[in-house]
């Protein structure tokens, strides 16, 4: 019975992540519209859009290969698994042993690789532009993410997320400059990975600025619905990751029981709401940068991660 209960809790976390992801996207859109003095779409609009797309037939280009049809599901599966591995309301769940931060980066990198391949598959100019820009961003975002992992691993002594979250809750951490540098770097990488302002604007289709939208321009119907859901899951993943590592308050242990799980879930939803509001406010007050300035932006995040790692080496006398 204990094994069945643990499986049920792990499955509930995976299902909860899948169900909440579109709501986070809807919250960001709603808050941005409210700040701009507009009514904006309701928070449940992403669910309605997904249902509408699922009812439509997928229109495919004549020269689209079988890979073009399969890639949306590969991207969705990799992103969902990565998002479900991040501790949300509890640590030490049944599959927490596989929730390694480097493994999550590998899953996201695989999803990015296949999505860029899909942009090149049909052979359109927009797809090629989007894929080349996505690879350029990834070439700087992934090293910055790895430096952030090294910084956190040197502090917590592990790359396993449950272990890192439990260590961050302990009084041994305190205030550290390296943690502040890692937090700023992680926020910058999260903005770039999710194609948000100022790196990209998910609400536009201008060929001179779009990155993510250019790669998926040829998709429609259920294929586009799966890709949009994967994008919402990726946004939720990074907000949950920041909350898990730098604001782990409310996380309970796996043996906390149903009451503890409920408290942890409420705390997690509250942190998601705060993260969504802060993201919307940030995107409202900042302008979209030019594409050639994106390497400077991500280079700054890489340097912040590197400084955090070097600072730990210096303070420990390594």
């Amino acid at each position: 019975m204990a094994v069945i209960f643990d499986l049920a809790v792990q499955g509930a976390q995976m299902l909860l992540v899948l169900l909440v992801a579109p709501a986070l996207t809807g919250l960001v859109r709603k808050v941005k519209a409210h700040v701009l003095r507009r009514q904006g779409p309701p928070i449940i609009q992403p669910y309605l859009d997904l249902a509408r797309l699922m009812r439509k037939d997928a229109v495919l280009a004549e020269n689209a290969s079988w890979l073009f049809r399969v890639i949306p599901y590969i991207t969705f599966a990799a992103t969902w698994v990565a998002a479900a591995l991040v501790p949300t309301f509890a640590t030490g769940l049944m599959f927490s042993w596989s929730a390694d931060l480097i493994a999550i980066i590998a899953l996201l990198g695989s999803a990015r690789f296949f999505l860029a391949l899909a942009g090149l598959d049909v052979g359109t100019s927009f797809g090629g532009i989007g894929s080349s820009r996505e690879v350029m961003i990834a070439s700087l975002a992934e090293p910055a993410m790895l430096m952030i992992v090294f910084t956190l691993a040197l502090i917590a002594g592990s790359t396993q997320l449950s272990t890192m979250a439990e260590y961050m809750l302990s009084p041994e951490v305190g205030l550290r400059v390296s943690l502040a540098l890692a937090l700023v770097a992680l926020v910058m990488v999260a903005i770039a990975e999710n194609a948000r302002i100022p790196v990209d604007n998910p609400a536009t289709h201008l060929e001179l600025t779009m990155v993510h939208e250019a790669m998926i321009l040829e998709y429609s119907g259920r294929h586009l619905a799966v890709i949009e859901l994967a994008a919402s899951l990726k946004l939720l993943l990074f907000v949950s990751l920041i909350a898990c590592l730098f604001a782990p308050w409310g996380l309970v242990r796996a043996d906390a029981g149903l009451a503890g799980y409920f408290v942890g879930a409420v705390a997690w939803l509250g942190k998601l709401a705060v993260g969504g509001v802060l993201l919307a406010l940030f995107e409202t007050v900042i302008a979209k940068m030019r594409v050639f300035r994106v390497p400077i932006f991500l280079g700054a995040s890489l340097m912040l991660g590197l400084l955090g790692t070097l600072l730990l080496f210096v303070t420990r006398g390594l």
Side-chain angles (χ1 to χ4, degrees):
M1 291 298 295
V3 176
I4 296 176
F5 180 75
D6 292 342
L7 278 173
V9 173
Q10 186 69 67
Q13 173 176 307
M14 296 184 67
L15 185 61
L16 184 63
V17 165
L18 184 63
L19 294 177
V20 173
L24 178 60
T25 303
L27 176 64
V28 174
R29 294 174 182 173
K30 186 67 175 180
V31 173
K32 287 179 66 175
H34 182 73
V35 173
L36 296 173
R37 298 179 179 273
R38 299 173 181 171
Q39 183 176 357
I43 295 178
I44 63 171
Q45 187 62 47
Y47 297 98
L48 302 177
D49 293 339
L50 291 175
R52 172 177 54 83
L53 289 173
M54 290 298 292
R55 291 194 300 266
K56 290 187 175 182
D57 295 331
V59 179
L60 299 173
E62 294 181 356
N63 57 339
S65 68
W66 63 270
L67 197 60
F68 187 80
R69 300 174 176 86
V70 174
I71 281 176
Y73 305 103
I74 296 176
T75 303
F76 168 74
T79 308
W80 187 18
V81 171
L85 289 178
V86 178
T88 54
F89 57 84
T91 61
L93 295 181
M94 192 169 189
F95 295 153
S96 62
W97 59 269
S98 60
D100 189 274
L101 197 50
I102 297 178
I104 291 175
I105 296 174
L107 286 171
L108 293 178
S110 301
R112 183 190 301 109
F113 166 76
F114 282 108
L115 199 58
L117 196 61
L120 296 171
D121 184 78
V122 180
T124 61
S125 57
F126 283 167
I129 290 173
S131 297
S132 62
R133 290 175 178 175
E134 180 72 10
V135 173
M136 180 268 293
I137 292 173
S139 65
L140 292 172
E142 289 187 0
M145 192 66 186
L146 288 176
M147 295 308 305
I148 296 168
V149 172
F150 293 154
T151 302
L152 297 173
L154 286 172
I155 295 175
S158 174
T159 57
Q160 208 271 341
L161 283 174
S162 292
T163 303
M164 298 172 79
E166 291 174 358
Y167 184 83
M168 292 298 176
L169 280 171
S170 66
E172 301 176 6
V173 181
L175 295 176
R176 302 191 184 207
V177 178
S178 55
L179 279 179
L181 295 175
L183 174 59
V184 176
L186 182 57
V187 170
M188 296 172 71
V189 171
I191 291 172
E193 288 278 1
N194 287 279
R196 310 296 304 192
I197 297 174
V199 175
D200 191 14
N201 187 357
T204 185
H205 283 82
L206 295 176
E207 63 272 12
L208 295 178
T209 60
M210 62 182 176
V211 179
H212 179 266
E213 294 295 325
M215 293 187 295
I216 65 174
L217 203 59
E218 295 297 321
Y219 280 109
S220 61
R222 62 182 181 276
H223 295 157
L224 183 58
V226 172
I227 291 177
E228 292 294 341
L229 184 54
S232 298
L233 282 169
K234 192 174 183 179
L235 177 61
L236 182 138
L237 184 155
F238 276 95
V239 177
S240 298
L241 185 62
I242 294 172
C244 172
L245 296 176
F246 297 98
W249 311 291
L251 277 172
V252 298
R253 296 187 60 85
D255 55 356
L258 292 177
Y261 292 152
F262 178 77
V263 173
V266 172
W268 174 62
L269 292 175
K271 287 183 281 189
L272 286 182
V274 172
V277 171
L278 292 177
L279 176 61
L281 294 176
F282 175 78
E283 290 189 339
T284 305
V285 300
I286 197 168
K288 167 78 171 62
M289 68 174 63
R290 296 181 180 179
V291 176
F292 67 84
R293 293 186 180 273
V294 173
I296 302 175
F297 179 81
L298 289 174
S301 66
L302 176 60
M303 288 299 103
L304 289 173
L306 180 60
L307 285 174
T309 305
L310 293 177
L311 185 61
L312 287 174
F313 277 110
V314 171
T315 55
R316 295 184 180 186
L318 299 177

